[in-house]
Amino acid sequence: MVTTHIPQPQTTPIQSALIVGNYCHDVLLQGGAVVAETLGGAASFISNVFSALSVSFHLTSKVGLDFKYPVNHDPIVIPTSKTTVFHAYFDQGHTENAHQDRVLKRVEVCDPINPSDLPDKRFDFGMAVGVGGEILPETLEKMVEICDAVFVDIQALIRAFDKNEGTVKLVGLKESGFYHLLPRVKFLKASSEEALFMDVEEVRQWCCVVVTHGKDGCEVFWKDGEMKIEPFGANQVDPTGAGDSFLGGFVGGLVHGLVVPDAALVGNLFGSLTVGQIGLPKFDLRLLQRIKDEVQRRKLHNTCWFEGGNDSMSFTKPDGHDEFHASLASTKLVPTCSIQECQRDVPRSAGSVEQVIQPPCNGQ
Ligand SMILES: Nc1ncnc2c1ncn2[C@@H]1O[C@H](COP(=O)(O)OP(=O)(O)OP(=O)(O)O)[C@@H](O)[C@H]1O
Ligand SMILES: O[C@H]1[C@H](O)[C@@H](O)[C@H](O)[C@@H](O)[C@H]1O
């Protein structure tokens, strides 16, 4: 079917957002060899999607003097610390747990983010998106005090690191030291592997829980109901950051006035775009324009849900949800731009240490 492209007037949301989590350096390994080295960290993937969707934000992140990536949002540089580094092993059969698509090791760790590192002002919403244990319970507590709504990636709360090798293990959410703060959190996002470390039935009484299921999309659980949100097709070459980009797309959709089920579709779309590339994805500018047009056309609220509080949040799938899925899926069919016309929050430059040698894992 041929669809006519009608450009929509674009609006830039005016909500103030705070992203908290360290940038990191990712080394992807397969068969004992390094296949790629890239900028990583949930904060960088989410910034990338926010910039794509014209959502402005403040970012609090820490790195060491060794940090060489040219980023648009400067981190706090700690002279006595190194940038957090993860090694991701993609070897088949290497995993201890059938749910894992890779084994992660934290081989360097930057300083934690303390409450005093956060800006001394209020935000409409905040995102606690640590990767290496940098978010402390007192930091999350300060976030819920200064932000009207807080979104949390459970990976910031339940990761523990083996003393010798830094291998990432998960601990139960109840034992994490963050449990008492959950009633003050608005959304908790977990992958299906991480969701095994929490009692979804209990947590959904306090906050909305979003569980991502890789190529199968995601599920949203709230106090009185739950729903599945359909995925988008993708040719997966690297799963890294899919969950982060999902969260960026989901929150970006809410900020633009979408209701929860429609925003979750935008999350699924950005997750699917991310797995098709290695490391931090570059988005085609024409594709982005089509996505933004579809979001503008679809928005059911004139204002973002933050302005109406909890009661204004709508969880049930509105009429036209399936059509919105189809129109988002069709945005992927536009002819792509040349590489120079792609958007990414973090520009490549001569100073960048990013290198891609070959995809770490092939499509499924
Ligand atoms: N192979 C895929 N095909 C299509 N969409 C995908 C695929 N993998 C992931 N996605 C999309 O991205 C979202 C997040 O993926 P996933 O559940 O793998 O997150 P994750 O395990 O937290 O990822 P990561 O830890 O690598 O950031 C999914 O809900 C889905 O919408
Ligand atoms: O860059 C990646 C990405 O942010 C992943 O979501 C996280 O699980 C990894 O620890 C990190 O290295």
Side-chain angles (χ1 to χ4, degrees), residues 102 189 191 212 214-215 217 232 234 236 239 241-243 268 271-272 275 364:
R102 70 198 157 188
K189 178 239 144 205
S191 67
T212 61
K215 65 178 174 36
F232 294 87
Q236 177 171 312
N268 280 349
S272 74
V275 299
Q364 38 185 346

Side-chain angles (χ1 to χ4, degrees), residues 215-255:
K215 65 178 174 36
D216 297 321
C218 68
E219 267 180 297
V220 182
F221 300 88
W222 67 102
K223 203 171 174 198
D224 312 310
E226 58 200 63
M227 67 193 152
K228 283 202 162 108
I229 304 292
E230 291 301 305
F232 294 87
N235 180 20
Q236 177 171 312
V237 292
D238 175 14
T240 311
D244 308 330
S245 292
F246 167 88
L247 190 55
F250 175 59
V251 178
L254 291 176
V255 167

Side-chain angles (χ1 to χ4, degrees), residues 53-98:
L53 292 174
S54 312
V55 175
S56 60
F57 57 92
H58 180 99
L59 186 139
T60 301
S61 182
K62 284 184 175 173
V63 297
L65 282 172
D66 56 343
F67 188 75
K68 293 285 183 277
Y69 292 103
V71 289
N72 288 344
H73 289 75
D74 286 340
I76 302 168
V77 180
I78 308 293
T80 51
S81 183
K82 290 222 167 133
T83 301
T84 299
V85 177
F86 279 97
H87 286 182
Y89 295 83
F90 286 92
D91 302 294
Q92 295 290 325
H94 191 99
T95 57
E96 292 166 17
N97 177 332

